Structure formats: structure tokens, C-alpha cells
Amino acid sequence: MCEIYSSTPPPEYEQITRSVRLNGLVTSIRLERRFWAILDDVAKQEELSLGKFLATLHEEAYSVHGEISNFASLLRVVCTTYLVKYQSAEAVA
């Protein structure tokens, strides 16, 4: 049953750290390679560079919720939200 999940190649869940500028400050974000690939897709769909997408997302989330205690976790949830939305769009088509 779990073979589709357990057979995930290790490079897909290797953690990658990238530096990004949020609110004028450079910070590091560590995510698994697969999440970075999904975020690249989301940024392309929004017609933004990844850096600009992350900065815009951070600003908007801060405007809505105030302090963001774990931006990396937010990014993982953004990825799953994107995939659910994409999956729903595929089902309709």
C-alpha cells in the first residue's frame, strides 16, 4: 500500500536551504527539494520570480495574521493547497 510513498527517491526529501529577502532582511529557509519545486511552479503561475513570490506571500500573510511564527511551515501548507487546487481543476476538466 505505501510503496508509492516509500519509494520516493531520497533526493526529493533532501533539505535545501535558500536565502531570501523578506521585509528587506535576508533570511534562510530550509525546505525539502520537492517543496522548492512546487513553489517554483506556483511562482511561475503567478508570473513572479520565486523571491518576489515569497516576499509577496510573506507580506500578505503578515497583513492578514500578524506575526508569522513559522514561515517554512506556511510554505509547506501553501504547496499542499496548490496541489489540492490543481487536483480539483484536473477533476473538473
Side-chain angles (χ1 to χ4, degrees):
M1 176 191 109
C2 294
E3 186 175 326
I4 189 170
Y5 307 112
S6 63
S7 64
T8 301
E12 288 294 314
Y13 54 87
E14 174 187 12
Q15 290 193 334
I16 306 294
T17 302
R18 294 191 184 177
S19 293
V20 296
R21 185 174 298 274
L22 302 174
N23 294 328
L25 301 173
V26 176
T27 190
S28 296
I29 299 173
R30 178 179 286 192
L31 295 172
E32 294 73 16
R33 183 181 308 274
R34 177 148 313 163
F35 286 112
W36 284 119
I38 295 167
L39 289 169
D40 284 332
D41 289 345
V42 175
K44 284 178 190 172
Q45 187 171 18
E46 296 292 326
E47 299 180 354
L48 296 170
S49 68
L50 179 59
K52 181 64 175 169
F53 172 74
L54 295 176
T56 301
L57 175 63
H58 189 273
E59 289 171 18
E60 290 180 5
Y62 186 83
S63 294
V64 172
H65 304 291
E67 190 65 31
I68 302 167
S69 63
N70 191 333
F71 191 56
S73 291
L74 172 61
L75 293 177
R76 289 181 186 93
V77 172
V78 165
C79 289
T80 60
T81 301
Y82 171 77
L83 293 174
V84 168
K85 180 180 171 187
Y86 178 76
Q87 183 181 23
S88 296
E90 288 281 312
V92 172

